[in-house]
């Protein structure tokens, strides 16, 4: 999950975000986690595609379906595993038209030609977040890799930190009660795309694991960025190959595990 446009101190340890602060304190906090660039979307692309693709802008909608390189979803499928992206207020599968607090580019796979250029694949892989809550009811329907995203109010982009924190408190318990979390080894990464442009790109990132998987109350001082998160996903799911040299040479989050 990638939230938006807040610095570390605006969220973790802030009284405006008691739920996320408690979740971080009970699990793993990356105290030296950094966004790569400004503005938002190139950071999304970095996690999904291993590169910012030279972008220094938010290229939606012009770049929709235009990126031809491989992405994380391809690696997941090559490993014989499943994946989906879920966004709040998407309304219908593969809805590529932003409206209100729904921003289609909050799931970066909209930029890849082999997703949005393939109607059947797009309808299957890009889903409203309501589908996530139903998919979580069984391990058989829960994808091995999930990108899920609140709307742009609840990501803290359009609304307050408190609003986003309240969304987390309301919705994350559905994940933590799911069979995939209680019966399997699962990892939740909550990070941000960029800071508020005033704190050197130091962003909040917390990691929570299913029971016994990750360290408890651990604060990592290792410097990490979005490529380290991508590499951790690749290693955790035993995916074949790497997307670019960025994830190939990135160190996974080795210090978070029990």
């Amino acid at each position: 999950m990638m939230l938006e446009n807040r610095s570390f101190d605006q969220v973790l340890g802030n009284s405006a975000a008691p739920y996320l602060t408690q979740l971080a304190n009970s699990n793993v906090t990356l105290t030296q986690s950094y966004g790569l660039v400004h503005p938002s979307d190139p950071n999304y692309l970095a996690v999904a595609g291993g590169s910012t693709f030279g972008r220094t802008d938010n290229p939606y909608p012009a770049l929709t379906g235009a990126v031809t390189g491989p992405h994380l979803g391809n690696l997941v499928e090559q490993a014989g595993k499943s994946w989906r992206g879920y966004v709040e207020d998407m309304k219908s599968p593969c809805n590529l038209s932003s409206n209100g607090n729904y921003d289609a580019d909050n799931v970066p796979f909209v930029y890849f030609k082999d997703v949005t250029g393939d109607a059947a694949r797009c309808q299957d892989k890009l889903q409203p977040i309501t589908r996530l809550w139903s998919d979580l009811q069984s391990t058989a329907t829960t994808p091995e890799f999930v990108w899920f995203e609140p709307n742009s109010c609840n990501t803290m982009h359009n609304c307050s930190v408190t609003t986003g924190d309240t969304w987390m408190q309301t919705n994350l318990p559905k994940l933590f009660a799911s069979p995939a979390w209680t019966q399997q080894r699962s990892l939740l990464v909550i990070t941000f795309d960029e800071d508020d442009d005033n704190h050197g790109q130091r962003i909040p990132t917390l990691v929570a694991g299913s029971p016994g998987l990750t360290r408890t109350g651990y604060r990592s001082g290792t410097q990490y960025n979005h490529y380290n998160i991508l590499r951790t996903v690749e290693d955790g799911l035993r995916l074949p190959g790497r997307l670019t040299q960025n994830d190939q040479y990135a160190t996974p989050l080795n210090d978070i595990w029990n």
Side-chain angles (χ1 to χ4, degrees):
M1 177 191 288
M2 186 173 283
L3 307 181
E4 295 209 325
N5 298 48
R6 301 289 177 174
S7 69
F8 184 96
D9 292 334
Q10 288 177 310
V11 180
L12 299 182
N14 189 338
S15 60
Y19 181 78
L20 286 176
T21 296
Q22 180 184 25
L23 188 64
N25 290 343
S26 300
N27 292 276
V28 175
T29 306
L30 306 185
T31 66
Q32 297 298 316
S33 178
Y34 291 86
L36 292 167
V37 295
H38 294 295
S40 296
D41 284 11
N43 297 290
Y44 282 79
L45 286 166
V47 179
S51 173
T52 62
F53 298 92
R55 306 305 303 203
T56 56
D57 61 346
N58 289 328
Y60 174 84
L63 199 66
T64 301
V67 179
T68 58
H71 53 79
L72 189 51
N74 297 135
L75 294 184
V76 172
E77 291 180 22
Q78 289 168 23
K81 302 177 187 293
S82 59
W83 69 278
R84 271 187 175 144
Y86 306 84
V87 187
E88 186 180 22
D89 292 343
M90 182 180 258
K91 303 300 184 186
S92 59
C94 192
N95 177 5
L96 305 180
S97 299
S98 297
N99 185 271
N101 281 314
Y102 167 63
D103 289 317
D105 56 339
N106 276 3
V107 58
F109 301 101
V110 302
Y111 287 124
F112 291 90
K113 183 177 181 180
D114 67 357
V115 177
T116 52
D118 181 332
R121 192 181 193 201
C122 190
Q123 287 279 326
D124 176 50
K125 299 303 181 186
L126 304 185
Q127 294 279 342
I129 204 168
T130 50
R131 179 65 182 269
L132 172 61
W133 310 136
S134 60
D135 283 352
L136 283 171
Q137 298 303 305
S138 165
T139 56
T141 54
T142 301
E144 277 92 350
F145 171 71
V146 168
W147 184 299
F148 73 109
E149 196 84 354
N151 66 32
S152 288
C153 176
N154 293 317
T155 62
M156 308 183 195
H157 183 280
N158 295 347
C159 299
S160 68
V161 170
T162 297
T163 298
D165 192 70
T166 299
W167 189 95
M168 300 297 162
Q169 185 174 19
T170 301
N171 289 281
L172 290 186
K174 304 173 193 176
L175 170 65
F176 298 143
S178 71
W181 192 267
T182 60
Q183 300 172 20
Q184 298 180 325
R185 291 160 57 89
S186 297
L187 190 72
L188 170 66
V189 179
I190 300 176
T191 190
F192 282 67
D193 52 4
E194 56 177 331
D195 73 348
D196 62 345
D197 216 11
N198 291 307
H199 292 84
Q201 279 283 46
R202 184 174 175 238
I203 55 173
T205 302
L206 68 90
V207 184
S210 54
L213 184 62
T214 54
R215 298 172 76 171
T216 301
Y218 177 65
R219 295 175 64 85
S220 171
T222 303
Q223 185 166 321
Y224 291 122
N225 62 37
H226 296 312
Y227 295 132
N228 303 104
I229 292 173
L230 170 58
R231 179 59 186 267
T232 303
V233 173
E234 293 169 341
D235 285 5
L237 292 176
R238 296 187 175 91
L239 303 185
R242 301 288 175 248
L243 294 170
T244 68
Q245 289 188 344
N246 293 320
D247 51 316
Q248 179 179 350
Y249 294 111
T251 303
L253 309 180
N254 287 325
D255 57 337
I256 68 173
W257 311 107
N258 254 337

